[in-house]
Amino acid sequence: MQPMPSALETPRLRLRPRDGRDAEWNLALLAEHPLGRAAGSLEDERERLDAQRAMFDELGFGLYAIELASTGEAVGYCGLVVGRASASQPEIAYELLRGHVGHGYATEAAAAVADAAFDAAFPALWATVATWNAPSFGVLAKLGFGGTRRAGLDGGNVYVWLHRRAPRRRHRVSPA
């Protein structure tokens, strides 16, 4: 597998690897999380995100900050993580600040990440979604992910594993 690109673009979004400069908005995102994720100080978050960026460089994939192309405003993140999967078949992960949910940004960003992952020769991608997270099931269905099994994880929350294989590459035959 090849490394993921250092930047991705769609008509409305720019994606770049997350790092310490994303700490402030990421703390706001953590504060909005329905499961009440604990967050540290701004400096701790900068250090955590800088370490995350170093892992992106080491593994060749990781999380991208999602920015609006028109303004540069960060609206969330999307990318690949080992998570509950593996480095050879990672999980796609995404999360948006509440004020930016419902505009199709998660679908647009996740489609760009999935396309780049398959272009980088990942054979498959996984996703795990808590059963309460209906919007994520919609995003993943639009991208061709299908459910495979349910498992109770993380404090009793029930998660569904979804999977998508890389599209088959069609070889063009030149006319003789």
Side-chain angles (χ1 to χ4, degrees), residues 3-70:
M4 291 285 286
S6 61
L8 299 170
E9 290 189 25
T10 71
R12 300 185 303 159
L13 305 173
R14 286 190 313 251
L15 287 77
R16 58 160 178 80
R18 286 198 322 173
D19 59 30
R21 68 190 139 159
D22 300 305
E24 192 170 329
W25 69 259
N26 199 66
L27 284 173
L29 181 73
L30 291 172
E32 293 178 352
H33 198 273
L35 300 179
R37 286 191 213 163
S41 69
L42 184 60
E43 187 54 37
D44 289 344
E45 191 65 5
R46 281 189 185 111
E47 289 177 18
R48 187 179 77 82
L49 293 177
D50 282 337
Q52 209 174 72
R53 171 57 199 258
M55 283 299 289
F56 188 114
D57 293 338
E58 183 179 321
L59 292 172
F61 66 87
L63 295 175
Y64 294 93
I66 304 169
E67 298 174 339
L68 299 178
S70 60

Side-chain angles (χ1 to χ4, degrees), residues 110-176:
V113 168
D115 288 347
F118 295 137
D119 287 346
F122 285 90
L125 297 177
W126 290 89
T128 55
V129 181
T131 54
W132 56 262
N133 192 348
S136 279
F137 286 107
V139 167
L140 293 165
K142 289 175 191 171
L143 300 179
F145 281 76
T148 58
R149 69 174 193 246
R150 290 177 182 243
L153 300 169
D154 294 340
N157 289 306
V158 177
Y159 285 82
V160 175
W161 284 79
L162 298 109
H163 183 255
R164 179 178 169 200
R165 293 194 186 286
R168 292 189 175 206
R169 304 284 182 213
R170 294 187 179 175
H171 298 284
R172 292 186 181 176
V173 177
S174 301

Side-chain angles (χ1 to χ4, degrees), residues 68-126:
L68 299 178
S70 60
T71 65
E73 177 187 6
V75 299
Y77 68 81
C78 183
L80 302 178
V81 297
V82 173
R84 297 175 188 96
S86 68
S88 64
Q89 293 186 25
E91 283 189 62
I92 192 164
Y94 48 86
E95 195 169 4
L96 299 176
L97 289 157
R98 280 189 196 145
H100 298 286
V101 171
H103 301 284
Y105 299 143
T107 302
E108 192 172 325
V113 168
D115 288 347
F118 295 137
D119 287 346
F122 285 90
L125 297 177
W126 290 89

